[in-house]
Amino acid sequence: MAPAAAEKPEKPGAQGVGPKTQLAKVPLSGVDMTQTYVNPINLPGMAVRHIVGTMPPTDANVANTSQIPASLNLPTWTAASGRTLSSRSSVGFTRISENSARTGADWSAVNVDGTIYLYASGAMQNAPNNNRTVWSTTDYLTWTPHEMNLGLVAPTVVQVGDTFYMAGNNTPVYRADSPTGPWTSMGSFLRPNGQVLSVGDVQFFLDTDGRLYLTYNIGSPIMGAELDPNNPRQLISEPVVLWTFDPRQEWQHIGDNKATYTHGYVEGSQLFKLGDTYYLQVASGGTEFTTYATGVMTSDRPLSGFTETQRNPIGAGNNHPSSVYPNAGHGSFVVDNAGNLVFFYTYVIAYEEFFERRLGMDVCTVIPNGPQKGAIDCELSNTPQLAPGRKISGRDDVGLYNVATNSQAYWSSSYAPGRNPYYGSDRSLSTWWEPADTDSAPTYIRGFGTVFHISAAQIQWKELGRTFTKDNAVQYTLEYKDIPTNTWRTLVDRSTNTTAYTADYVTFDRVLTNAVRLKILGTTENVKVGVHELNVFGENYHLVASKGMITP
């Protein structure tokens, strides 16, 4: 039986009634910053999607209503009708793609003897040409990429005995003797009567009693069935409805502003078990929207009785604007050998095109008692967190702020039209600072507006053009202004870097400063780069306390 997640320490004032004032962060003492991470995760070698998007020359076919009346005239609607209407209402519209884009989504995790393997959609090409990389980790800090012989869209993997099985959107079931393959096809899913079943957003679930299940569907309802564990392509029960779209719940609506009641494009289901309780998580809201979210239902049975017994979507609430704004889309819960309940989720950007996405990771807990007993509690993070299993005094948030957000304190050696240095720390992944084409030594300085002790930084690179690959690595140095000598000193030297990180998270010895300087030296593929976000993490709590302003 999988171990239950650790109990979460109670927050101050949790027994009271009504909203609580968020307390200021206080830095943890004794933190080894090399044991921390920041979202989006520093994952090497993420796939690149090459999409060319341009506006049509005229608006002749824009807002084409010719296909709408048939949908509007239906006497009653279902969620499927809403999806159809949404697609027909967008006929003729397009979007501009300026550059190719890094992408990874639909994360699915498997714990194999203490090693976590993470599978994902990549460029959303059909199997077997999708992302072929699976990443593994034993510490959640260092991720090792493994190239497989095939890649699926929205993959799922399960281990039954010594054998691994994988499936994806409308694919056969594949088997292997290793979590990294090589994979061989067993054929398509089959209903009990032998009829072929083609399904999307599939997820395997192996119960503690050895019984194997499948959940699936892209769009409500979410379906489930039992499989033969000795032949996982074979259903041994007819599919049943597990959960359906509820238009009265705003988090399920599709769109960035949740204005559409017709559907939520419910997808990405996962069935898992903690203790004696079965959990069904689903994503809703549309993978192309930043409000893509995840909700959780519970039951005491694997294929029926699921109800919402907690506040959804998970992760809502205590997410302050200290960096960028993550949302927990299509993902996967996994329990590791230490009992940590870790949630890997899709982190939506969707600027260059619909499927520009990243990886988010946070530790969740199960509320042990009270009215919300059994509910999953997740707080999505965007500042340094101790990796799962490394809490100090019951905390994993190390108490740092993103200090590189003062919009008036910046300088750059140049900037391209419309890409001024303000955009390098505006807490948006839809904008970026870009040096001028003639700039042979791009340099970017970000001031903090006051003095901070800093100990980590995250550079979210914007690779420009359409020629770079998943192996393109940025080479650079990061410096800080040494206050006593008024000189620049090195924090990080990655001038010979050959690892392709999209969101490069670096830690260093704690220093007191008011600014950092980034020097871009080039890339391994000679690609021009800009900066989505230069996030710097620090605190001035101890400085303020030492001056008598607050009592430590």
Side-chain angles (χ1 to χ4, degrees):
M1 179 178 294
E7 180 177 335
K8 185 171 186 175
E10 189 175 29
K11 299 175 187 175
Q15 296 299 317
V17 177
K20 301 299 173 186
T21 299
Q22 178 66 24
L23 296 177
K25 288 185 176 183
V26 176
L28 279 173
S29 59
V31 174
D32 178 357
M33 289 299 295
T34 65
Q35 303 301 300
T36 65
Y37 73 93
V38 161
N39 285 317
I41 294 297
N42 207 9
L43 203 62
M46 191 174 291
V48 176
R49 182 171 166 90
H50 301 283
I51 297 293
V52 178
T54 58
M55 286 285 125
T58 74
D59 70 351
N61 193 43
V62 174
N64 188 326
T65 61
S66 62
Q67 298 183 39
I68 296 177
S71 296
L72 284 176
N73 292 331
L74 291 174
T76 59
W77 280 357
T78 66
S81 301
R83 294 197 305 275
T84 299
L85 180 64
S86 180
S87 64
R88 291 176 178 177
S89 294
S90 60
V91 171
F93 288 99
T94 187
R95 61 187 295 162
I96 296 173
S97 177
E98 298 184 69
N99 308 276
S100 294
R102 296 278 179 162
T103 184
D106 308 333
W107 308 95
S108 183
V110 178
N111 180 359
V112 182
D113 299 325
T115 298
I116 304 299
Y117 289 86
L118 195 60
Y119 304 82
S121 296
M124 299 298 287
Q125 297 166 313
N126 293 328
N129 298 313
N130 186 50
N131 165 59
R132 296 189 179 195
T133 301
V134 55
W135 293 267
S136 67
T137 187
T138 57
D139 60 7
Y140 302 101
L141 299 169
T142 302
W143 292 90
T144 302
H146 309 270
E147 196 77 5
M148 300 189 295
N149 65 313
L150 58 83
L152 310 182
V153 174
T156 179
V157 172
V158 67
Q159 181 180 8
V160 182
D162 294 328
T163 304
F164 296 86
Y165 299 96
M166 179 168 69
N169 281 357
N170 306 308
T171 73
V173 177
Y174 298 88
R175 69 175 303 280
D177 296 325
S178 160
T180 60
W183 301 94
T184 58
S185 176
M186 300 173 59
S188 299
F189 287 106
L190 299 173
R191 291 179 179 270
N193 63 4
Q195 179 185 10
V196 170
L197 179 67
S198 182
V199 292
D201 275 10
V202 293
Q203 278 286 335
F204 292 119
F205 164 60
L206 183 65
D207 204 346
T208 51
D209 59 5
R211 298 172 72 175
L212 184 65
Y213 298 91
L214 177 76
T215 62
Y216 65 90
N217 230 353
I218 302 178
S220 179
I222 298 299
M223 306 293 293
E226 186 172 357
L227 302 174
D228 180 352
N230 298 311
N231 179 21
R233 62 184 292 236
Q234 180 65 60
L235 277 67
I236 59 176
S237 71
E238 284 295 334
V240 295
V241 174
L242 300 184
W243 186 83
T244 57
F245 168 73
D246 184 351
R248 294 165 296 184
Q249 297 197 32
E250 185 182 83
W251 75 269
Q252 296 177 31
H253 295 181
I254 198 166
D256 272 325
N257 294 316
K258 297 297 186 185
T260 301
Y261 276 80
T262 57
H263 67 297
Y265 229 90
V266 179
E267 57 188 3
S269 63
Q270 181 199 13
L271 181 63
F272 60 102
K273 186 179 183 181
L274 299 173
D276 295 326
T277 301
Y278 293 91
Y279 291 82
L280 177 70
Q281 65 111 341
V282 303
S284 189
T287 193
E288 68 270 39
F289 298 110
T290 56
T291 53
Y292 197 34
T294 294
V296 177
M297 280 62 68
T298 58
S299 177
D300 59 0
R301 303 178 300 280
L303 291 180
S304 63
F306 284 96
T307 58
E308 290 192 65
T309 56
Q310 67 174 75
R311 179 187 178 188
N312 282 322
I314 62 172
N318 187 26
N319 182 27
H320 295 278
S322 51
S323 181
V324 290
Y325 294 85
N327 290 280
H330 185 159
S332 174
F333 288 90
V334 67
V335 179
D336 65 19
N337 284 15
N340 300 297
L341 179 62
V342 185
F343 183 34
F344 298 100
Y345 54 87
T346 298
Y347 190 115
V348 178
I349 299 173
Y351 174 78
E352 295 292 357
E353 51 90 32
F354 291 161
F355 299 122
E356 185 180 5
R357 299 167 294 180
R358 302 283 191 271
L359 168 65
M361 177 184 77
D362 281 297
V363 178
C364 303
T365 56
V366 176
I367 298 176
N369 48 52
Q372 293 293 301
K373 181 180 180 180
I376 291 180
D377 184 17
C378 296
E379 290 185 4
L380 305 186
S381 67
N382 51 31
T383 55
Q385 308 290 306
L386 286 162
R390 292 167 173 79
K391 287 185 178 182
I392 296 176
S393 301
R395 284 174 49 187
D396 43 26
D397 188 310
V398 300
L400 303 183
Y401 288 90
N402 179 14
V403 302
T405 56
N406 188 304
S407 63
Q408 305 305 315
Y410 55 77
W411 179 90
S412 67
S413 55
S414 69
Y415 60 93
R419 308 292 185 194
N420 78 61
Y422 167 82
Y423 296 122
S425 288
D426 64 346
R427 304 200 310 272
S428 171
L429 292 175
S430 296
T431 58
W432 63 88
W433 163 69
E434 177 182 333
D437 289 341
T438 56
D439 192 342
S440 60
T443 303
Y444 180 67
I445 297 176
R446 174 56 64 170
F448 307 151
T450 187
V451 179
F452 290 91
H453 285 102
I454 64 171
S455 52
Q458 181 195 56
I459 308 166
Q460 300 198 45
W461 298 110
K462 179 61 178 178
E463 295 158 294
L464 302 166
R466 303 187 188 278
T467 62
F468 63 91
T469 76
K470 68 184 183 67
D471 298 316
N472 182 51
V474 183
Q475 296 169 336
Y476 66 95
T477 60
L478 185 67
E479 304 166 316
Y480 74 100
K481 179 54 74 82
D482 182 60
I483 293 174
T485 63
N486 196 31
T487 59
W488 293 104
R489 295 194 174 183
T490 300
L491 281 172
V492 176
D493 184 348
R494 301 202 66 178
S495 58
T496 60
N497 174 47
T498 57
T499 303
Y501 288 117
T502 302
D504 202 348
Y505 179 59
V506 292
T507 62
F508 37 81
D509 291 339
R510 182 172 175 264
V511 296
L512 183 68
T513 188
N514 70 324
V516 295
R517 180 168 72 176
L518 173 68
K519 289 186 173 182
I520 301 174
L521 306 178
T523 77
T524 54
E525 297 183 358
N526 196 29
V527 170
K528 183 182 179 183
V529 295
V531 175
H532 268 306
E533 292 292 301
L534 172 57
N535 298 322
V536 181
F537 302 101
E539 53 89 11
N540 69 355
Y541 171 86
H542 287 97
L543 179 62
V544 170
S546 70
K547 300 300 181 182
M549 183 176 177
I550 57 176
T551 302

